[in-house]
Amino acid sequence: MSDFKIQVDELDEKAKSFRFLASESWWGAREEGSDGQATEVVSGFAFQLDVARKADDIILSGDLEAEVILECSRCARRYSHALRDPFSLALEPAKGREPTDLEGVQGLAENGVWLGEDLEAGWFRGPKIGLDDFFGEVIALAMPLQPLCSESCPGICSHCGADLAKTQCDCVDERLESPFAVLAMLKGVTEEK
Ligand SMILES: [Zn+2]
Ligand SMILES: [Zn+2]
């Protein structure tokens, strides 16, 4: 059952604001079974959203804000990463329709909502909308595929493993191994003749 719910009959044409805070343990429970270790969450995942009823449809729009500890994909340092992502979702009444997959059918029955492929449209049914799955998808999408502690992170030396942000190592300059450097050297040799 969903932790985060919206009562459909409370909604109106005029948008209502909601704020939900999803905790580290909530996210940890969802991440279980997926690969890797649990993400360390500094502040919880704050969801701010405006929800309105437009004719039969329910329109949600809002944004996610959170601070998580991620591991830099270049230097492996753990750093604090600000997640910030806007989202919107339009739900129409499912009426007699059923999703084609079992998971979708269960979700619609249990949480009153089914999410389409692109996470921007879906169906709802019943008096309440459970937003847990939607929030989970928004967080997953906001996580960077290749986290970087900074855009200019120099990473670690591929020879000695030195952290190049902190220290300069004595390894042979790798530029000499690049094809361009080799060409430049050959050119230099021929010009000398
Ligand atoms: Zn880094
Ligand atoms: Zn080195």
Side-chain angles (χ1 to χ4, degrees):
M1 200 52 218
S2 251
D3 289 322
F4 308 112
K5 289 181 276 258
I6 287 177
Q7 196 87 28
V8 173
D9 64 12
E10 281 180 15
L11 300 175
D12 208 341
E13 265 182 49
K14 191 169 172 293
K16 255 180 108 165
S17 292
F18 293 84
R19 196 176 154 80
F20 297 102
L21 190 68
S23 67
E24 178 177 24
S25 59
W26 175 88
W27 177 245
R30 295 189 67 91
E31 271 189 318
E32 249 169 45
S34 63
D35 57 328
Q37 81 230 78
T39 308
E40 201 180 313
V41 185
V42 178
S43 60
F45 301 92
F47 289 89
Q48 174 73 50
L49 55 161
D50 290 332
V51 189
R53 192 86 202 241
K54 295 269 156 74
D56 284 341
D57 298 349
I58 295 176
I59 311 295
L60 297 91
S61 66
D63 51 73
L64 156 71
E65 267 186 43
E67 196 184 335
V68 294
I69 305 293
L70 298 179
E71 191 179 286
C72 176
S73 58
R74 280 190 201 144
C75 70
R77 200 196 322 263
R78 292 172 72 75
Y79 73 102
S80 166
H81 185 99
L83 290 183
R84 208 144 282 174
D85 227 18
F87 56 81
S88 62
L89 176 67
L91 298 172
E92 50 180 59
K95 302 213 169 101
R97 294 176 291 185
E98 288 293 345
T100 49
D101 60 311
L102 187 61
E103 210 181 317
V105 173
Q106 282 172 347
L108 187 57
E110 280 171 30
N111 302 317
V113 63
W114 172 78
L115 301 169
E117 287 284 301
D118 60 2
L119 277 188
E120 286 179 1
W123 302 340
F124 73 96
R125 177 185 290 153
K128 284 178 197 155
I129 298 171
L131 292 171
D132 289 41
D133 289 345
F134 178 63
F135 286 171
E137 299 284 354
V138 169
I139 293 170
L141 270 180
M143 293 282 188
L145 292 174
Q146 289 194 303
L148 287 180
C149 64
S150 86
E151 285 297 328
S152 59
C153 171
I156 56 174
C157 172
S158 56
H159 293 291
C160 71
D163 183 346
L164 298 177
K166 285 183 188 151
T167 167
Q168 198 87 43
C169 62
D170 297 323
C171 296
V172 179
D173 192 335
E174 281 186 62
R175 275 173 300 176
L176 286 177
E177 289 166 18
S178 84
F180 295 108
V182 173
L183 271 179
M185 267 170 59
L186 287 175
K187 203 163 164 258
V189 170
T190 43
E191 274 168 7
E192 269 169 34
K193 280 182 187 168

